[in-house]
Amino acid sequence: MTKIADSTVRRLSQYLRFLEEFESLGSETVSSEELAAKGGTTSAQVRKDLSFFGSFGKRGLGYDVPDLKAQLRDILGLKQSYNVVLVGAGKLGGALAQYGGFKDRGFNIVAIYDRDPRRVGERWNAIIVRKDSEIEADLSKSRIEIAIIATPADAAQEIADRLVGAGVRALLNFANVTLAVPDSITVKHVNMALELEALSYALRNRTTERR
Amino acid sequence: MTKIADSTVRRLSQYLRFLEEFESLGSETVSSEELAAKGGTTSAQVRKDLSFFGSFGKRGLGYDVPDLKAQLRDILGLKQSYNVVLVGAGKLGGALAQYGGFKDRGFNIVAIYDRDPRRVGERWNAIIVRKDSEIEADLSKSRIEIAIIATPADAAQEIADRLVGAGVRALLNFANVTLAVPDSITVKHVNMALELEALSYALRNRTTERR
DNA sequence: GGATGTGAATGTCTTCACAGCT
DNA sequence: AGCTGTGAAGACATTCACATCC
């Protein structure tokens, strides 16, 4: 299999969500044009994205909604569900713990850790916050592939190292630092301040820009 | 000015953060190679990114840290501060309201709105949650360019329309919907579930992939 | 007829490599 | 000598356009 661009994967993920919308509206079939319109892209882009993985449509007709949905879930690895641990029980951690969008997609937060003894023992949405020092022992018992880091920036690298040491293979990092991890580990970084800075740049330069 | 790629702007924003780290470590000068190492990119990339905006370095020496910092802040439009409104006072809204990373960069959350009467009147970090119906009147008094949407998905488009109607020019959207806005409006979308799906894809496909 | 799937063309971004300053 | 700044080359991503098939 040839390397698929990150941008392609992200669009596939969007298409999946759009398909759910089409399904709930009762559409049985959808065209690349309709999918493109929802996502602000082009029909050629949609077809090209899908073509890396196979031929899922019927010429003259479009794509069968439930079928394409299943194919995308398969491509994205969403036929299984994932147990996920969350480190950092601050405001952001709390927001993430209760966020429905994760569960809906099969990402179950099964444990929350924090370093602060005042937070340990708190109950977040049926999960009790545990001491971060338990991470190693807990993960040695149950295989966890994905962890979410929502700690302060200065703790994030240490937590990342320990999670990786405990067998985690993918990290979603909300702390505002670039994490150094082995090549075999996948990291996605959500940097909210950076998004605002990009908005600031756009505000400043829109007049002189195209598009 | 020629169109600058989004990826370039995002890297500039990172360089700025790295410069602050170098400064706090006492470095007066930094090379493109050092900046690149922090961000997992290449020195050529750093120099090319900067070259779109001018020549800020000294050959044989590198870049003066405070000087480049100032230049980047100027490029990104961060010499001014921004008043920002936040719509949605749920868990995520609360987390965003207290998040220090915004203030540090000159983004001040000056008002929070919610539709739920039970939340209206709550105090978040010295700001009292206001009824969303006040948005129009409030924004007609003070010019607000940036708004953050942290509402449930089904309310986000309506809120976006109203914010844009009230003069907002840039939106940071945390709701899991693609917002339709006029071309003149800039939107950045933070989609946390999508990031997890990208991790899922990576976990599933790493063995067959390069890099 | 109508929409897909896909080579080819185009456009964009990144990397190379070296001339040019300091 | 050392590191920047930058055209040119290369890699990658998107768009075009049309043959193909339902």
Side-chain angles (χ1 to χ4, degrees), chain B residues 92-107:
Chain B
L92 179 60
L96 296 172
Q98 63 87 49
Y99 176 56
F102 294 156
K103 249 192 301 290
D104 294 348
R105 284 272 186 257
F107 299 98

Side-chain angles (χ1 to χ4, degrees), chain A residues 13 105 186 197 200 206, chain B residues 13 76 105 186 197 200 206:
Chain A
S13 186
R105 283 272 186 259
T186 308
E197 294 184 17
S200 167
R206 177 147 37 217
Chain B
S13 186
L76 293 169
R105 284 272 186 257
T186 307
E197 294 182 17
S200 167
R206 178 145 38 214

Side-chain angles (χ1 to χ4, degrees), chain B residues 34-48:
Chain B
E34 292 170 297
L35 278 174
K38 281 238 185 211
T41 178
T42 66
S43 61
Q45 180 77 78
V46 172
R47 296 197 301 277
K48 182 64 90 178

Side-chain angles (χ1 to χ4, degrees), chain A residues 9-77:
Chain A
V9 175
R10 297 172 72 91
R11 282 192 300 268
L12 292 176
S13 186
Q14 287 203 68
Y15 302 156
L16 176 55
R17 183 156 52 73
F18 299 154
L19 284 170
E20 287 166 354
E21 287 182 41
F22 279 112
E23 188 169 54
S24 73
L25 294 170
S27 312
E28 280 165 27
T29 240
V30 74
S31 68
S32 56
E33 189 57 49
E34 291 171 296
L35 277 174
K38 282 241 183 208
T41 178
T42 66
S43 60
Q45 180 77 79
V46 172
R47 295 197 300 277
K48 182 65 91 179
D49 287 341
L50 295 174
S51 77
F52 294 127
F53 299 94
S55 310
F56 306 122
K58 296 219 189 319
R59 296 175 194 227
L61 256 172
Y63 302 87
D64 179 77
V65 172
D67 179 51
L68 185 55
K69 228 184 76 173
Q71 297 283 3
L72 286 177
R73 283 174 32 87
D74 188 27
I75 291 166
L76 293 169

Side-chain angles (χ1 to χ4, degrees), chain B residues 30-90:
Chain B
V30 74
S31 68
S32 56
E33 189 57 47
E34 292 170 297
L35 278 174
K38 281 238 185 211
T41 178
T42 66
S43 61
Q45 180 77 78
V46 172
R47 296 197 301 277
K48 182 64 90 178
D49 286 341
L50 295 173
S51 76
F52 294 127
F53 299 93
S55 310
F56 307 122
K58 296 220 190 317
R59 298 175 194 227
L61 255 172
Y63 301 87
D64 179 77
V65 172
D67 179 51
L68 185 56
K69 227 184 76 174
Q71 297 283 3
L72 286 177
R73 282 174 34 86
D74 189 26
I75 291 166
L76 293 169
L78 299 176
K79 289 204 156 163
Q80 65 168 291
S81 63
Y82 292 88
N83 288 336
V84 175
V85 301
L86 168 63
V87 186

Side-chain angles (χ1 to χ4, degrees), chain A residues 41-187:
Chain A
T41 178
T42 66
S43 60
Q45 180 77 79
V46 172
R47 295 197 300 277
K48 182 65 91 179
D49 287 341
L50 295 174
S51 77
F52 294 127
F53 299 94
S55 310
F56 306 122
K58 296 219 189 319
R59 296 175 194 227
L61 256 172
Y63 302 87
D64 179 77
V65 172
D67 179 51
L68 185 55
K69 228 184 76 173
Q71 297 283 3
L72 286 177
R73 283 174 32 87
D74 188 27
I75 291 166
L76 293 169
L78 299 176
K79 289 204 155 164
Q80 66 168 288
S81 64
Y82 292 87
N83 288 336
V84 176
V85 301
L86 168 62
V87 185
K91 279 256 172 52
L92 179 60
L96 296 173
Q98 63 87 52
Y99 176 55
F102 293 156
K103 248 191 304 287
D104 295 348
R105 283 272 186 259
F107 298 98
N108 304 310
I109 295 180
V110 296
I112 304 176
Y113 299 94
D114 202 288
R115 171 169 297 174
D116 186 339
R118 285 169 303 182
R119 286 181 182 149
V120 173
E122 278 182 4
R123 179 179 292 275
W124 288 102
N125 224 28
I127 301 167
I128 293 173
V129 176
R130 293 170 65 73
K131 190 82 177 72
D132 72 309
S133 52
E134 311 283 345
I135 290 174
E136 284 80 359
D138 288 1
L139 296 209
S140 73
K141 282 175 216 136
S142 57
R143 174 178 162 77
I144 299 282
E145 294 190 297
I146 301 178
I148 302 176
I149 297 180
T151 64
D154 57 7
Q157 182 65 57
E158 185 217 307
I159 293 295
D161 292 343
R162 289 172 52 200
L163 288 166
V164 169
V168 166
R169 297 172 58 214
L171 297 172
L172 181 55
N173 176 33
F174 286 86
N176 193 13
V177 289
T178 306
L179 297 175
V181 296
D183 281 356
S184 59
I185 307 297
T186 308
V187 180

